[in-house]
Amino acid sequence: EWFERNHNLTNYTVIKSNDDWDHAGPGNHASRTDLFIHDKEVSGVSPNHPVALGKLNKLFEAIKVKDVEIIQDLIDVRYAAKFLSILSIFHNLHTITGDQLRYIYDHRTGRFKFIFKLENWAYSNQGSVADFNAKLFMKPAAQTINAKTYDLFKLLLSDPDFRELRDRELFKHTLSKNKFFKLSDKVFDENIKTLNSGN
């Protein structure tokens, strides 16, 4: 219902790496097999999961050979620019680390989207403007320095046209920062009891 209401998605497949944590590193969420279609969890409303897995395999192969053009053919580029703008603001890569990354395949468009979910906290980006993109993939933002799932986003940011799209989205956020702060305060206030009962 959430996909349909917020994204007009009614025919989709969700794919993510298995999260049993019995894999061979390099970290709790990340695995050396994250860029292979085997050992994946598949869900969603579409009966055509094999089509989505085939497209994901094509995406993984493009990542391995660093083919940004094919990558951009397989993902929703405008959505990815928005996604990376939010990722840049929170400066926390937990949502794209290994089994945390959800590939949402829209069977209508033939392209992938991703789900942003912040489970812990935001970090400030202390680097210079010149280091802004590189710092995103370093500690503390990066959960695991060598997570293979970061490669997709590093490759996207290596493309100047994509960076411009992402930067335009970042600029939109700066123009609406007061709205953003109000929303943050509202979410905090609604969840203060839960926050106080944790450790």
Side-chain angles (χ1 to χ4, degrees), residues 4-175:
E4 185 173 355
R5 184 175 61 249
N6 293 307
H7 295 280
N8 296 319
L9 272 177
T10 56
N11 187 15
Y12 62 88
T13 297
V14 180
I15 308 169
K16 64 179 283 297
S17 290
N18 188 311
D19 59 6
D20 285 344
W21 284 25
D22 59 353
H23 48 63
N28 290 339
H29 289 292
S31 168
R32 291 181 206 146
T33 62
D34 280 329
L35 293 185
F36 295 89
I37 61 165
H38 312 290
D39 199 28
K40 295 289 184 265
E41 297 175 13
V42 181
S43 61
V45 298
S46 175
N48 296 317
H49 296 331
V51 172
L53 281 167
K55 287 291 182 90
L56 186 62
N57 189 51
K58 191 173 179 183
L59 179 64
F60 287 163
E61 293 306 315
I63 293 167
K64 291 172 194 170
V65 298
K66 299 178 172 37
D67 192 325
V68 177
E69 193 173 320
I70 291 177
I71 290 170
Q72 291 182 344
D73 284 343
L74 292 167
I75 66 168
D76 183 327
V77 174
R78 291 202 175 278
Y79 179 88
K82 291 178 182 181
F83 180 87
L84 266 167
S85 73
I86 294 294
L87 206 63
S88 299
I89 289 172
F90 285 97
H91 200 232
N92 182 330
L93 300 189
H94 186 257
T95 195
I96 64 166
T97 302
D99 59 37
Q100 292 294 312
L101 179 58
R102 267 81 169 157
Y103 300 89
I104 315 304
Y105 185 72
D106 184 346
H107 289 269
R108 182 179 50 87
T109 64
R111 294 175 188 268
F112 287 98
K113 292 183 178 184
F114 317 98
I115 295 178
F116 181 84
K117 59 187 184 71
L118 189 66
E119 289 185 1
N120 40 30
W121 45 81
Y123 299 102
S124 60
N125 189 334
Q126 299 293 329
S128 68
V129 172
D131 294 334
F132 182 77
N133 293 313
K135 282 274 189 181
L136 183 59
F137 299 98
M138 297 177 189
K139 294 276 188 179
Q143 304 294 302
T144 303
I145 293 298
N146 297 319
K148 295 294 183 190
T149 48
Y150 297 167
D151 293 350
L152 166 62
F153 302 97
K154 289 178 182 178
L155 287 165
L156 286 172
L157 287 172
S158 73
D159 177 56
D161 293 332
F162 180 84
R163 273 197 318 275
E164 183 179 347
L165 280 176
R166 191 279 315 264
D167 291 347
R168 285 180 189 275
E169 293 299 328
L170 276 171
F171 183 64
K172 287 179 192 174
H173 296 314
T174 64
L175 294 177

